[in-house]
Amino acid sequence: MRYELFYWPGIQGRGEFVRLALEDAGAPYLDVGLGDARDGLGLPAIDSYLNGDATPRPPFAPPFLKAGNLVISHVANILQFLGPPLALVPDNEPARYWIHGLQLTLSDWVAEIHDIHHPIGPSLYYHQQEGEARRRAAVFHQQRLPRFLDYFERVLQLNPAGPEYLAGGEHCYADLSLFQVVRGLQYAFPRAMKTHKARIPRTLTLVERVAERPGIKTYLQSERRQPFNESGIFRHYPELDNVV
């Protein structure tokens, strides 16, 4: 199977969670949004699914994945689909539901992180809502960030198979997604994340372990890994990191 990933060019965004799974497994895939429109790729290809006639079941927005005749949208849904063929979930139905639930929690967290710098709406520029963003950031740092960090640290601590992985004794796609969120937070809020370092030792160990996985290590060192920037989900605005 050669997968086709559809996501906006120029940013990691939510598409990165899918890329990490594909790269970790060494699965062949085409990153459609990064391709050339002259080759039938890029933004026109994405638009053909969103607003054209490429499928009678159009996704609402990227990311979405094409696998044969299937078009699957939403990060958690895509990863739930990819988990078994990429060996990123165990052959155990209760464990698969647990991992899917963890991914949904991570998706909620990502939405809250995005809404820090765009609390009013995505159609407005950051400078048009900076005041509201500062207020949102203060609440996030005081309440929401500690709660999410503590939750995943506790999941690792309570894992009956040990604290190396989120679910059981094997690597899963939720580990990859937690890696991406933590790395993104370290980019966006380096000062805040340093203050939390002592409270999340198991999480930070997992992040380092994921970074050393052969497929991920190669990917992180390649040009395929787009850098964090101020157009994506994780944005470094120093004024939003000075509220701890």
Side-chain angles (χ1 to χ4, degrees):
M1 174 69 71
R2 182 174 185 252
Y3 301 101
E4 296 179 21
L5 172 63
F6 291 75
Y7 197 70
W8 309 119
I11 57 173
Q12 294 179 10
R14 290 174 173 84
E16 194 69 9
F17 295 95
V18 182
R19 289 190 193 99
L20 287 170
L22 294 167
E23 293 282 352
D24 181 73
Y29 73 100
L30 175 65
D31 208 329
V32 174
L34 298 180
D36 195 318
R38 292 171 294 183
D39 298 324
L41 304 173
L43 293 176
I46 296 174
D47 188 65
S48 72
Y49 281 83
L50 300 181
N51 302 302
D53 58 2
T55 175
R57 297 175 175 175
F60 180 74
F64 53 94
L65 184 82
K66 188 171 186 293
N69 294 323
L70 288 175
V71 177
I72 305 162
S73 65
H74 293 82
V75 170
N77 202 26
I78 295 169
L79 293 176
Q80 186 179 42
F81 168 77
L82 287 175
L86 299 189
L88 288 173
V89 288
D91 187 16
N92 177 309
E93 188 175 32
R96 291 184 181 186
Y97 283 122
W98 168 235
I99 292 166
H100 183 57
L102 291 173
Q103 187 65 45
L104 289 169
T105 303
L106 286 159
S107 294
D108 290 343
W109 195 3
V110 168
E112 292 198 25
I113 294 166
H114 171 273
D115 289 349
I116 293 170
H117 51 76
H118 276 73
I120 303 302
S123 62
L124 300 176
Y125 289 107
Y126 168 66
H127 69 83
Q128 295 175 301
Q129 49 193 318
E130 183 178 338
E132 293 87 351
R134 287 175 180 263
R135 186 177 179 187
R136 180 76 178 242
V139 174
F140 179 80
H141 288 301
Q142 293 164 11
Q143 301 177 16
R144 303 302 290 169
L145 179 59
R147 183 169 181 178
F148 277 108
L149 290 174
D150 288 349
Y151 172 74
F152 284 99
E153 185 70 13
R154 186 165 178 263
V155 168
L156 289 166
Q157 181 182 4
L158 294 177
N159 183 0
E164 288 79 16
Y165 305 103
L166 286 170
E170 297 181 4
H171 172 73
C172 70
Y173 62 75
D175 296 326
L176 295 167
S177 294
L178 181 57
F179 160 84
Q180 174 67 5
V181 172
V182 172
R183 281 290 178 90
L185 287 167
Q186 289 170 333
Y187 170 81
F189 309 117
R191 181 173 176 267
M193 288 300 287
K194 284 181 181 177
T195 68
H196 293 297
K197 186 175 180 180
R199 74 193 299 162
I200 54 169
R202 299 171 187 85
T203 300
L204 293 176
T205 298
L206 180 146
V207 167
E208 293 306 313
R209 183 184 301 111
V210 168
E212 290 300 316
R213 289 182 61 81
I216 297 300
K217 186 173 183 177
T218 298
Y219 172 58
L220 295 178
Q221 295 172 349
S222 74
E223 293 184 357
R224 296 190 305 280
R225 171 74 165 185
Q226 300 174 88
F228 290 109
N229 59 50
E230 276 53 71
S231 295
I233 294 170
F234 303 98
R235 305 188 185 189
H236 178 56
Y237 297 129
E239 62 272 17
L240 300 185
D241 193 24
N242 267 328
V243 290
V244 180

